């Protein structure tokens, strides 16, 4: 059966098993709506929020809407859980705590990298950091917990 005819979770498992994480990211409609891309490199996954006018929340600065920044952080966390963890089902978010550290310039791309802090039997803990020009100058950060079974 072609992969696109499988139930969503089975598609994700098939893509994960063949290392096709960019395609997993593309299965989620929100990612194309706000222009979230995924890259895999030596340091793991990098989630990129591409600059687009539709993500502007404050036109006077101009700054990216806080909800879009939160979505970037959550997507990076979800993809890190899929990338690093054994899954019995799609990870379900329990909570996410976002720290908005400075305005996110809407005229630039924004990058996020997640780190799996702990994978437990039922809950995984993830830390995410986001930046624009300098990875040491964060624009936002988050902690998230996911239900794994």
């Amino acid at each position: 059966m072609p992969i696109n005819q499988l139930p969503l979770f089975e598609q994700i498992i098939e893509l994960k098993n063949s290392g096709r994480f960019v395609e997993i990211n593309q299965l989620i409609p929100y990612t194309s709506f706000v222009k979230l891309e995924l890259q895999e490199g030596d340091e793991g996954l990098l989630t990129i929020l591409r600059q687009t006018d539709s993500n502007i929340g404050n036109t006077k600065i101009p700054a990216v809407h806080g909800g879009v920044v939160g979505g970037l952080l959550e997507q990076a966390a979800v993809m890190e859980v899929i990338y690093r963890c054994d899954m019995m089902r799609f990870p379900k978010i329990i909570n996410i705590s976002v720290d908005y550290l400075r305005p996110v310039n809407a005229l630039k791309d924004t990058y996020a990298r997640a780190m799996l802090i702990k994978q437990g039997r039922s809950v995984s803990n993830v830390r995410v950091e986001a930046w624009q020009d300098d990875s040491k100058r964060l624009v936002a950060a988050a902690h998230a917990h996911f239900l794994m079974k």
Side-chain angles (χ1 to χ4, degrees), residues 29-54:
Y30 182 73
T31 62
S32 62
F33 182 72
V34 298
K35 307 290 187 270
L36 286 173
E37 295 177 9
L38 191 71
Q39 290 181 355
E40 189 176 0
D42 294 339
E43 296 181 45
L45 299 178
L46 181 67
T47 305
I48 304 167
L49 175 63
R50 295 295 182 193
Q51 181 279 329
T52 181
D53 290 345
S54 62

Side-chain angles (χ1 to χ4, degrees), residues 27-141:
L27 287 174
I28 301 166
Y30 182 73
T31 62
S32 62
F33 182 72
V34 298
K35 307 290 187 270
L36 286 173
E37 295 177 9
L38 191 71
Q39 290 181 355
E40 189 176 0
D42 294 339
E43 296 181 45
L45 299 178
L46 181 67
T47 305
I48 304 167
L49 175 63
R50 295 295 182 193
Q51 181 279 329
T52 181
D53 290 345
S54 62
N55 289 339
I56 296 175
N58 183 334
T59 56
K60 292 185 184 196
I61 296 177
V64 175
H65 189 282
V68 176
V69 175
L72 163 67
L73 297 167
E74 183 177 341
Q75 181 65 13
V78 167
M79 290 306 300
E80 184 69 10
V81 169
I82 292 170
Y83 184 68
R84 302 268 180 209
C85 298
D86 295 327
M87 300 184 322
M88 302 303 280
R89 67 176 193 166
F90 195 81
K92 182 177 179 183
I93 193 156
I94 298 170
N95 65 358
I96 185 167
S97 174
V98 176
D99 297 324
Y100 296 97
L101 304 172
R102 56 183 45 88
V104 178
N105 185 333
L107 303 177
K108 299 179 180 181
D109 291 343
T110 308
Y111 307 90
R113 187 174 310 281
M115 296 143 282
L116 181 66
I117 303 300
K118 181 178 188 289
Q119 178 185 357
R121 279 185 240 137
S122 56
V123 175
S124 289
N125 180 304
V126 181
R127 166 86 175 155
V128 187
E129 296 179 342
W131 67 92
Q132 290 191 299
D133 295 322
D134 181 356
S135 63
K136 294 183 181 8
R137 187 170 161 80
L138 301 181
V139 295

